[in-house]
Amino acid sequence: MRIKSLWMSDLHLGTKASNADLIIDVLKYFDTDLIILNGDVIDFWQLGFTKHWSKKHNNILRLLFKKAKEGTLIIYTTGNHDEALRDYVPFNLDNIFVVNQYEYRSIENGNILFIHGDAFDFVITSNKWLAKIGAFLYEGLIVFNHWFNKFRSMVGLDYWSLSKYLKEQTKKRVGILRKFDTLIVDYAKRKGYKTVSAGHIHIPEYKTIDGVLYINTGDMCETGSFVIEKMDGEIVLIKDFAKFKG
């Protein structure tokens, strides 16, 4: 399917949480001249410890480099899990550009600010050690969730993500979700933007806050959500890729 642009965030390559099959399917399904990877693409936090880098993760990188070689512009904005790259930005590998923020001129929504968003998460900015512990616990929950849902399937119950539920509830309790989107919007307004796209919190959203369109691409782990800009300029938040394809 030919589209104007494809936006994804939080791929977390190098972890079990990463949904490599979905990422590959999405990259192969859409034909576009612009891919924006809005942070936490490679999970450097866990890469040296959990050792879950697989051949599929290699295939994702190969596919991205192949698309870049064929002319697709790939923008990689840094997140907290790949913050090691921030010491070197901006830099590029042929047609792949690594930056901290990115401004994109869309068809219908004017200039859009892309920023991962971890700078507006007070847990990250003030207690990074706590955030890293949480990341390792989340990785363990992914493994538990796999067996948990096998059991649910055996007894005739539908898939339900315990890890996703606990992550959302934790963030609600510490107030991250109540402040994150408004802080992102306030920052975008100060910079003169009417549309902003973020990731980080793994919760897909498309809503207007104080006159600014806030789009969170979610994640390519459990929610499997991402955004496309169609050729006519329509921006679509996709939460169920299988349903989207029909």
Side-chain angles (χ1 to χ4, degrees):
M1 178 180 176
R2 180 67 178 166
I3 58 174
K4 184 70 175 176
S5 61
L6 168 65
W7 317 349
M8 294 190 289
S9 71
D10 299 89
L11 281 64
H12 289 277
L13 301 181
T15 72
K16 275 195 173 182
S18 183
N19 192 338
D21 290 329
L22 176 62
I23 296 168
I24 291 170
D25 286 347
V26 169
L27 289 174
K28 287 183 175 180
Y29 184 79
F30 293 107
D31 175 26
T32 181
D33 292 329
L34 174 63
I35 297 174
I36 300 173
L37 305 174
N38 201 9
D40 286 359
V41 179
I42 299 175
D43 197 319
F44 288 97
W45 282 11
Q46 299 189 54
L47 196 59
F49 295 95
T50 55
K51 302 185 187 303
H52 290 313
W53 191 275
S54 70
K55 289 183 179 179
K56 290 181 180 179
H57 296 166
N58 283 336
N59 291 338
I60 291 169
L61 295 185
R62 289 192 185 100
L63 185 54
L64 288 170
F65 275 103
K66 180 175 183 290
K67 284 181 172 290
K69 187 176 181 180
E70 293 172 349
T72 300
L73 174 62
I74 298 177
I75 303 296
Y76 182 147
T77 66
T78 57
N80 51 300
H81 285 257
D82 41 26
E83 63 185 352
L85 299 175
R86 287 176 174 166
D87 291 336
Y88 308 99
V89 296
F91 68 91
N92 68 289
L93 301 170
D94 293 327
N95 218 24
I96 300 175
F97 291 81
V98 183
V99 295
N100 286 332
Q101 298 182 20
Y102 180 64
E103 177 183 287
Y104 168 58
R105 180 71 179 179
S106 68
I107 297 174
E108 287 193 345
N109 293 73
N111 291 336
I112 300 175
L113 174 64
F114 284 84
I115 183 170
H116 183 66
D118 56 290
F120 303 92
D121 180 344
F122 71 88
V123 174
I124 296 294
T125 55
S126 60
N127 297 286
K128 188 174 291 186
W129 62 271
L130 182 61
K132 288 189 176 183
I133 290 173
F136 281 102
L137 291 175
Y138 179 64
E139 179 80 359
L141 279 171
I142 293 292
V143 178
F144 174 80
N145 202 67
H146 172 76
W147 296 106
F148 175 68
N149 275 285
K150 275 200 168 185
F151 171 76
R152 285 178 62 87
S153 177
M154 288 172 59
V155 297
L157 297 175
D158 293 333
Y159 179 90
W160 183 74
S161 176
L162 175 63
S163 51
K164 178 185 173 186
Y165 172 79
L166 291 176
K167 188 167 188 175
E168 288 185 5
Q169 291 303 309
T170 300
K171 289 185 175 183
K172 286 178 182 178
R173 289 183 182 277
V174 298
I176 294 174
L177 301 186
R178 188 169 62 250
K179 298 178 180 179
F180 181 83
D181 52 6
T182 55
L183 290 173
I184 291 281
V185 164
D186 288 345
Y187 176 78
K189 286 188 74 172
R190 291 198 304 271
K191 293 290 186 178
Y193 294 94
K194 293 185 178 180
T195 305
V196 60
S197 181
H200 185 60
I201 58 173
H202 292 210
I203 298 176
E205 289 188 295
Y206 187 106
K207 61 185 180 182
T208 299
I209 303 172
D210 197 20
V212 174
L213 177 59
Y214 167 79
I215 304 170
N216 195 300
T217 44
D219 68 280
M220 296 300 286
C221 297
E222 287 200 277
T223 67
S225 53
F226 59 95
V227 171
I228 63 170
E229 179 192 18
K230 294 183 176 180
M231 295 303 293
D232 62 2
E234 180 187 3
I235 294 175
V236 181
L237 174 60
I238 298 174
K239 297 181 180 180
D240 188 333
F241 184 46
K243 185 177 180 180
F244 174 82
K245 290 192 298 182

